């Protein structure tokens, strides 16, 4: 270890790592040294100082509800046509956030590759690929597509896309880029080890997406290609509509550089963040953990929650705004959770002692947008999360939601003999004809 690294570690409260390296058997020494060099220790110290367990989080004051638009049938059709036109001109691209750990799902692999019990064993990645291919058929242009992976699933995600079988896709599509990671720390800010000679490095939230999109050169390449709109969405929604033409038409019509989809939150205890306006009228997301129970449960004259626009992680923004977001220093958030780790001196498993994971959230950039519009969509048509192994928001509940959506299309199409399963290659959002918004 160089003296510089030794000094850096000691200055940032990580002297236990210096001691660990000095005791480490030679075969593990070099790798551990490289790992230590790869970490930004000044950043690690600052995330602990600014958001550690010793800090009382600043609960947002004076939150107000945000207005949301709902589209009538004719408005929807008009937006669809506008969006198809934008897609035809190659003006929209899709970015999939797939860098998370998926710890609640408990699947040993990327969430996007988790079996869902669907026909032909289709998984979230493949469903999204097929919806994008269908858009290519509808508009004549397959949207550019990028996937953000995480430190733990990068290799497996690359392998999945390399080995994927199914309808052909354009060359080098999607392009994959890896999000940043940060060391997991104990409650006093010391970095944890998963085993002798290995740091516990964990994905540091989806907030790094802006910086990584910019630094990877993807935004610049897309700009040169003529892309003007970027749709960013999470991997874990089986009903997700990548580069949704309706959303594109709505966003381009709204005049705002940022638009977000919401669904109606009716249950105050539902664990979703909500779109709100802060005291200065700027848009932001309040996580469910940030809303005091009384505020979360407050109802309006119509009997619905005051804070009712639930975030479904589907955001459409101009490429210029994405580039602006890349320059913002987003705040850190702490998650105290079980992190597999050992005692650096004895190797005894200490996973039962909760550790600190620090994350940044992409939506913390939203207050910096000059305007934001919210499009409320129907939960049964667009939101079926895959978060847990069983029960609510599980593969089973998401599959049930997709099946019931397909049944509603089939009944609208008046096809009583249909098998009940609709390949996304043949219908993106219930449209029947390849040309325009022909829904029945
Ligand atoms: P979640 O908040 O559900 O996190 O991510 P997760 O890691 O997938 O699952 P748990 O909490 O460990 O069970 C919401 C979306 O943000 C992405 C996820 O892949 C998902 O699409 N995400 C999350 C990232 O891309 N990177 C992260 O560091 C965290």
């Amino acid at each position: 270890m160089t003296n510089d690294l030794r000094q850096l570690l000691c200055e940032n409260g990580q002297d236990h790592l210096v001691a660990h390296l000095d005791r480490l058997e030679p075969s593990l020494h070099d790798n551990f040294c490289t790992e230590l060099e790869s970490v930004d220790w000044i950043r690690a110290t600052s995330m602990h100082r600014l958001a550690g367990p010793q800090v009382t989080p600043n609960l947002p004051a004076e939150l107000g509800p945000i207005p949301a638009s709902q589209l009538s049938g004719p408005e929807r059709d008009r937006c669809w046509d506008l969006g198809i036109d934008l897609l035809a001109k190659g003006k929209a691209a899709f970015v999939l956030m797939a860098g998370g750990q998926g710890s609640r799902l408990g699947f040993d692999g990327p969430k996007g590759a988790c079996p869902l019990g669907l026909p032909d064993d289709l998984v979230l990645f493949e469903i999204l690929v097929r919806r994008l291919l269908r858009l290519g058929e509808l508009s004549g242009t397959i949207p550019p597509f990028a996937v953000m992976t995480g430190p733990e699933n990068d290799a497996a995600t690359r392998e999945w896309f390399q080995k994927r079988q199914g309808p052909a896709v354009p060359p080098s599509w999607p392009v994959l880029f890896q999000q940043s990671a940060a060391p997991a720390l104990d409650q006093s800010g010391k970095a944890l080890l998963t085993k002798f000679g290995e740091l516990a490095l964990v994905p540091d939230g989806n907030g790094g997406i802006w910086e990584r999109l910019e630094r990877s050169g993807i935004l610049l390449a897309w700009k040169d290609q003529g892309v003007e709109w970027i749709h960013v969405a999470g991997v874990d929604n089986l009903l997700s509509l990548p580069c949704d033409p309706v959303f594109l038409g709505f966003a381009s019509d709204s005049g705002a550089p940022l638009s977000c989809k919401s669904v109606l939150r009716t249950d105050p205890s539902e664990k979703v963040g909500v779109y709100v306006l802060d005291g200065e009228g700027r848009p932001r997301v309040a996580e469910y953990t940030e809303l005091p129970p009384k505020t979360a449960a407050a109802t309006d004259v119509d009997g619905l929650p005051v804070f009712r626009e639930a975030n479904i992680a589907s955001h459409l923004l101009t490429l210029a705004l994405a580039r602006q977001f890349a320059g913002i220093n987003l705040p850190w958030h702490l998650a105290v959770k079980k992190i597999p780790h050992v005692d650096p001196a004895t190797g005894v498993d200490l996973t039962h002692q909760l550790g600190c994971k620090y994350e940044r959230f992409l939506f913390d950039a939203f207050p910096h947008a000059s305007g934001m519009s919210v499009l409320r969509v129907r939960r049964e048509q667009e939101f079926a999360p895959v978060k847990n192994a069983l029960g609510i928001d599980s593969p089973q509940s998401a599959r049930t939601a997709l099946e019931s959506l397909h049944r509603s299309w089939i009944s609208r199409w008046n096809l009583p003999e249909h098998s009940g399963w609709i390949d996304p290659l043949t219908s993106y959002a219930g449209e029947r004809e390849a040309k325009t918004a022909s829904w029945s």
Side-chain angles (χ1 to χ4, degrees), residues 97-104 111 148 179 203 205-206 234-236 387:
M97 292 184 283
Q101 290 182 294
S103 45
R104 284 168 288 171
K111 243 188 201 180
M148 181 169 81
Q179 73 166 80
N206 55 29
V235 68
D236 46 11
K387 299 277 183 195

Side-chain angles (χ1 to χ4, degrees), residues 50-377:
L50 296 171
Q54 77 287 355
V55 177
T56 315
N58 252 344
L59 286 180
E62 288 189 58
L63 294 182
I66 198 163
S69 302
Q70 293 172 79
L71 301 179
S72 65
E75 285 168 335
R76 202 173 170 276
D77 289 352
R78 199 179 69 80
C79 285
W80 171 276
D81 290 343
L82 268 174
I84 290 286
D85 190 46
L86 288 167
L87 288 164
K89 293 179 177 144
K91 290 191 185 294
F94 181 53
V95 182
L96 184 69
M97 292 184 283
Q101 290 182 294
S103 45
R104 284 168 288 171
L105 187 59
F107 170 64
D108 185 21
K111 243 188 201 180
C114 177
L116 302 172
L118 289 175
D120 299 328
D121 297 327
L122 297 193
V123 293
L124 286 157
F125 285 148
E126 182 63 25
I127 294 273
L128 288 164
V129 163
R130 292 183 183 212
R131 287 191 182 134
L132 288 165
L133 292 179
R134 170 68 177 167
L135 281 186
E137 194 185 344
L138 292 167
S139 71
T141 307
I142 299 171
F145 176 23
V147 178
M148 181 169 81
T149 66
E152 290 151 350
N153 65 23
D154 183 78
T157 306
R158 281 176 200 279
E159 190 183 339
W160 189 89
F161 278 100
Q162 264 156 20
K163 293 201 171 149
R164 122 166 228 284
Q165 290 176 336
V169 298
S172 310
W173 187 98
V175 37
L176 274 66
F177 66 105
Q178 198 183 143
Q179 73 166 80
S180 43
L185 308 177
D186 72 7
Q187 308 270 335
S188 69
K190 292 203 175 304
L192 301 177
L193 298 177
T194 43
K195 57 183 180 192
F196 278 174
E198 190 177 283
L199 285 170
L201 291 174
V202 288
D204 62 1
N206 55 29
I209 191 169
W210 311 119
E211 185 191 315
R212 290 286 158 144
L213 270 175
E214 178 70 15
R215 277 215 259 144
S216 60
I218 292 174
L219 290 183
L220 196 58
W222 282 354
K223 181 171 179 279
D224 290 345
Q225 268 169 254
V227 170
E228 291 176 5
W229 290 95
I230 313 263
H231 182 210
V232 178
V235 68
D236 46 11
N237 173 10
L238 184 56
L239 301 186
S240 173
L241 294 177
C243 281
D244 176 14
V246 173
F247 197 19
L248 271 167
F250 169 82
S252 66
D253 230 15
S254 77
L258 170 67
S259 291
C260 298
K261 276 188 183 177
S262 69
V263 294
L264 182 64
R265 184 182 73 110
T266 48
D267 172 4
S269 64
E270 191 186 1
K271 293 185 168 169
V272 285
V274 284
Y275 290 107
V276 298
L277 293 175
D278 69 12
E280 290 158 46
R282 298 180 311 168
R284 54 162 288 176
V285 172
E287 278 294 28
Y288 63 92
T289 44
E290 287 182 311
L291 287 182
K294 229 170 121 192
T295 314
T299 49
D300 213 332
V301 281
D302 57 7
L304 292 170
V306 173
F307 297 103
R308 59 181 69 172
E309 307 302 336
N311 169 20
I312 61 167
S314 178
H315 318 290
L316 193 52
L317 70 166
T318 61
L319 187 138
L321 184 61
R323 299 196 77 189
Q324 186 189 318
F325 282 172
I328 295 173
N329 215 353
L330 299 177
W332 289 102
H333 299 265
L334 169 66
V336 176
K337 59 195 292 183
K338 261 193 182 170
I339 294 167
H341 70 282
V342 298
D343 183 311
T346 61
V348 170
D349 185 63
L350 294 179
T351 304
H352 59 280
Q353 295 183 1
L354 298 182
C356 299
K357 177 182 173 188
Y358 292 89
E359 294 183 292
R360 292 171 300 172
F361 300 145
L362 86 168
F363 52 67
D364 278 331
F366 293 176
H368 299 267
S370 60
M372 179 178 121
S373 49
V374 178
L375 175 63
R376 191 195 299 160
V377 296

